[in-house]
Amino acid sequence: MTYAKTANLRTNPNNPRAIRKDQLNKLVKSLQEFPEMLEARPIVIDKEGIVLGGNMRLKAAQLAGLDEVPVFVREWSEEKDPEFIIKDNVPSGEWDWEMVGNNEDPEQLQEWGMTIPWDNTEGEDKQEDTTNTPKQCKHCEKILP
């Protein structure tokens, strides 16, 4: 297992995820009570120490006062980073939909397993056949497949 100083790691400025303060506080408490759980899911970083997976865990570890955390230094090509970031976060969490919509291809996101919210209608009560109507993301202006 490889470890890195939390002070030497940086959260990803292009991370499309957010965490509410109450969720972050729960994560901090979890890490204080059971810091070894990080070994089961090390923080994934690039060679420069930028977090690709585990931005919230890094924040929580820093707030919990952990000086070091387990890390996995990615060995795949940089071009695969966006795919990893999305696939790593599909199961849960909150998304910055504008960032995701503006930086990633919606079709690719769906292939990676992400469900994208979109709005087919102008009003909530509108009941029309939208089978062939283009879908638009609720949070950005992109047209979805």
Side-chain angles (χ1 to χ4, degrees):
M1 181 74 49
T2 302
Y3 288 82
K5 299 276 184 195
T6 56
N8 295 339
L9 302 177
R10 296 181 312 240
T11 57
N12 190 332
N14 297 316
N15 179 30
R17 296 262 318 226
I19 189 169
R20 293 190 323 256
K21 188 174 183 174
D22 63 313
Q23 293 171 320
L24 179 60
N25 290 338
K26 287 178 185 178
L27 186 53
V28 169
K29 184 178 178 189
S30 291
L31 293 180
Q32 288 170 328
E33 293 172 352
F34 186 25
E36 298 87 359
M37 70 185 225
L38 284 170
E39 292 175 4
R41 279 199 74 206
I43 295 172
V44 180
I45 61 173
D46 66 12
K47 291 177 179 152
E48 287 76 41
I50 297 174
V51 176
L52 302 174
N55 284 280
M56 302 309 132
R57 283 178 279 144
L58 174 60
K59 285 182 184 182
Q62 290 168 330
L63 290 171
L66 301 179
D67 293 326
E68 289 187 334
V69 291
V71 296
F72 173 83
V73 181
R74 72 115 155 89
E75 295 179 11
W76 58 79
S77 69
E78 187 177 328
E79 290 77 28
K80 290 186 176 183
D81 287 352
E83 179 179 0
F84 172 80
I85 291 167
I86 296 301
K87 285 183 174 181
D88 185 56
N89 289 294
V90 167
S92 63
E94 295 176 24
W95 296 91
D96 179 338
W97 290 108
E98 185 175 347
M99 183 181 290
V100 171
N102 288 329
N103 293 316
E104 303 300 336
D105 176 55
E107 206 168 292
Q108 185 70 64
L109 293 172
Q110 289 176 329
E111 286 179 25
W112 292 344
M114 180 178 234
T115 301
I116 303 171
W118 54 67
D119 189 4
N120 287 339
T121 62
E122 292 291 318
E124 299 249 334
D125 297 336
K126 200 171 185 180
Q127 299 287 326
E128 67 183 42
D129 181 4
T130 58
T131 307
N132 295 318
T133 304
K135 300 168 187 161
Q136 186 172 13
C137 180
K138 289 180 184 179
H139 304 282
C140 67
E141 300 301 314
K142 287 210 176 186
I143 300 299
L144 306 172

